[in-house]
C-alpha cells in the first residue's frame, strides 16, 4: 500500500522512523516532503517551510505534496494537542481535507484537533505505538 504521512514539518525526523516501520511490513511511503526533497528542489535554497518571500519555491512544494497525496492509497495524519500560542503553518490540515474530499481512507494519530477528525469514516489512535500494535489493515478500504 502507498501511504502518505502528514504532520508538522518539524516532526519530519520522527516520521522517518514511522516510515521505516511501515516499509518493514511491506508498504511504501514515498512523500517527497518526508524524503528531504523539499530542502532542494530545482536548485532552490534550503528552506524548512517556504514563506511569502519564496512563493515560487512554495508553489513547487505544494505541487509535490498534492501529487504525492493524490497517488497515495491511505493518509496517516499526525495531529497535535492544542497550544496556547505559537504559529502553525497548517499544511497537514489541507492534506487531510484533500484526502477527505477525494474519499481516501484516513487514520489520525493523536488527539482530535477539529470537528472533521470525529467523522465516522476517520479512524483514530492515540499513539503510533498503539496503531502499530493493532491489526487495522483489514479495516482500510483500499
Amino acid at each position: 500500500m502507498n501511504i502518505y504521512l502528514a504532520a508538522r514539518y518539524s516532526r519530519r525526523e520522527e516520521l522517518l522512523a514511522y516510515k521505516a516501520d511501515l516499509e518493514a511490513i511491506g508498504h511504501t511511503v514515498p512523500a517527497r516532503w518526508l524524503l528531504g526533497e523539499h530542502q532542494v528542489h530545482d536548485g532552490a535554497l534550503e528552506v524548512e517551510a517556504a514563506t511569502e518571500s519564496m512563493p515560487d519555491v512554495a508553489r513547487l512544494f505544494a505541487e509535490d505534496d498534492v501529487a504525492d497525496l493524490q497517488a497515495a492509497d491511505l493518509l496517516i495524519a499526525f495531529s497535535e494537542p492544542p497550544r496556547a500560542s505559537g504559529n502553525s503553518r497548517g499544511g497537514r490540515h489541507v492534506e487531510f481535507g484533500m484526502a477527505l474530499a477525494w474519499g481516501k481512507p484516513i487514520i489520525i494519530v493523536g488527539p482530535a484537533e477539529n470537528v472533521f477528525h470525529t467523522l465516522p469514516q476517520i479512524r483514530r489512535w492515540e499513539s503510533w505505538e498503539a496503531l502499530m500494535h493493532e491489526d487495522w489493515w483489514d479495516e482500510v478500504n483500499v
Side-chain angles (χ1 to χ4, degrees):
M1 186 180 315
N2 183 348
I3 300 172
Y4 188 95
L5 301 179
R8 272 191 349 253
Y9 188 88
S10 61
R11 293 181 69 178
R12 187 171 92 58
E13 292 296 323
E14 173 190 354
L15 267 67
L16 288 173
Y18 303 154
K19 174 184 181 304
D21 290 344
L22 291 168
E23 289 174 342
I25 57 175
H27 301 288
T28 60
V29 186
R32 285 171 271 196
W33 82 268
L34 191 56
L35 301 174
E37 295 179 21
H38 277 187
Q39 286 81 9
V40 178
H41 194 297
D42 293 333
L45 295 175
E46 184 170 333
V47 293
E48 179 179 51
T51 63
E52 290 181 23
S53 64
M54 301 177 77
D56 292 337
V57 173
R59 179 183 51 77
L60 293 172
F61 292 170
E63 289 171 351
D64 287 349
D65 292 347
V66 169
D68 292 344
L69 178 58
Q70 204 161 28
D73 299 312
L74 168 71
L75 168 72
I76 299 178
F78 292 80
S79 62
E80 300 291 330
R83 293 189 286 182
S85 65
N87 293 331
S88 179
R89 297 188 182 279
R92 70 184 188 280
H93 300 301
V94 174
E95 293 162 343
F96 173 88
M98 288 189 303
L100 183 65
W102 292 334
K104 293 187 179 285
I106 300 172
I107 291 173
I108 299 290
V109 177
E113 278 187 278
N114 59 60
V115 297
F116 299 100
H117 287 185
T118 67
L119 289 170
Q121 68 267 42
I122 308 301
R123 296 293 317 262
R124 194 171 67 78
W125 279 265
E126 290 299 322
S127 69
W128 180 254
E129 293 74 26
L131 173 66
M132 292 308 293
H133 286 99
E134 189 171 324
D135 186 20
W136 52 271
W137 299 105
D138 293 336
E139 297 176 28
V140 176
N141 297 320
V142 177

